[in-house]
Amino acid sequence: MLKKTVLMFILTASQAFAQQAADSKADQRGSDKLDIKKLEQKYWAAKDDDFSVVQNRRYVKAERFYLTGAAGIPFNDPYSTGTIAGGSLGYFFNERWGLEGSYNSASLKDNDAVKQFVDTYGAIPDHNVLKSSYFLSGIWVPFYAKMSVVDKAIIYFDMGISFGVGSLNYEITQAEGNVSKDAMAYKLGVFQQIFFSEHFAIRADLVNTWSTQEKMKYYAPGTNVGGTVVGGQRDLGSETINDTSLMIGITYWH
């Protein structure tokens, strides 16, 4: 009986020791693996409610002024072609938000569609011509990135959106001479800038503006145009006009 008791004790002790050794080895193997749960509990505790990506910025915008000179073309004007030149002055409060004042001046002329209309009907279509605009805009930059160029260089760029309100100057075309008018306008733009030094960047803007403009007939009622007498009223009411332009320029950061 005593022999059986001793034998059972030895077997039980050996089994416990073997199990303890196996657990120790398992713990050693598991220590090399990343415990996601523990990481979440340590760094993503419930008390934390704000997470952000940590990213080094070589060229910062926060608390800096900038000046941009740009030129471009109208994108969707059915009657005019030409160029648009302008400039903008702005300031960034942080890396996301900024404020910008901008001014654009247009040098436009009748496009081929108007010339074809004149050749076909012997008359000029009723239309307005964009002359200039200025806006005060808020800027939001949600995207910042780095891009490798054929493994030779790193390009730093960001993309932003501008929302603005301002004034737009246009001319109502008339046979006796164009009439200049001003209208309140709204702006929505998307831009991208590529930095190539601390102080300089290339910037491209796709700008949309909306304004309510007065419309008039080019010829006064009673005018004989190609054997046809213009009738009705000259005032054609008002119409919301969308002007789109593509601008490319250089920005200096101070």
Side-chain angles (χ1 to χ4, degrees), residues 59-198:
Y59 305 117
V60 298
K61 303 185 296 296
E63 298 181 352
R64 296 182 69 186
F65 287 94
Y66 66 88
L67 180 65
T68 300
I73 57 174
F75 223 68
N76 65 337
D77 194 318
Y79 303 105
S80 302
T81 185
T83 59
I84 301 174
S88 58
L89 175 65
Y91 177 80
F92 270 85
F93 304 100
N94 51 48
E95 293 299 323
R96 294 295 182 196
W97 294 97
L99 191 65
E100 176 183 274
S102 61
Y103 174 81
N104 285 340
S105 178
S107 178
L108 306 179
K109 60 182 180 180
D110 292 341
N111 61 14
D112 291 339
V114 173
K115 295 176 182 178
Q116 184 177 359
F117 190 92
V118 173
D119 292 340
T120 302
Y121 301 102
I124 297 178
D126 309 321
H127 66 284
N128 295 345
V129 179
L130 172 66
K131 299 304 293 182
S132 64
S133 63
Y134 62 86
F135 290 93
L136 181 63
S137 305
I139 296 179
W140 178 48
V141 181
F143 302 108
Y144 171 83
K146 307 171 186 177
M147 180 171 59
S148 173
V149 181
V150 294
D151 297 329
K152 299 295 183 181
I154 298 295
I155 289 179
Y156 300 84
F157 67 93
D158 55 25
M159 181 179 292
I161 302 172
S162 61
F163 309 88
V165 61
S167 179
L168 184 144
N169 177 258
Y170 63 96
E171 287 186 349
I172 303 174
T173 57
Q174 293 186 349
E176 304 87 344
N178 294 350
V179 178
S180 179
K181 293 284 186 177
D182 293 305
M184 186 175 182
Y186 302 93
K187 168 189 170 183
L188 173 61
V190 177
F191 69 88
Q192 180 170 310
Q193 56 185 347
I194 299 174
F195 293 87
F196 54 90
S197 76
E198 180 184 358

Side-chain angles (χ1 to χ4, degrees), residues 39 41 52 64 72 139 142 208 216:
L39 185 65
Q41 292 173 359
S52 61
R64 296 182 69 186
I139 296 179
N208 282 280
M216 298 280 186

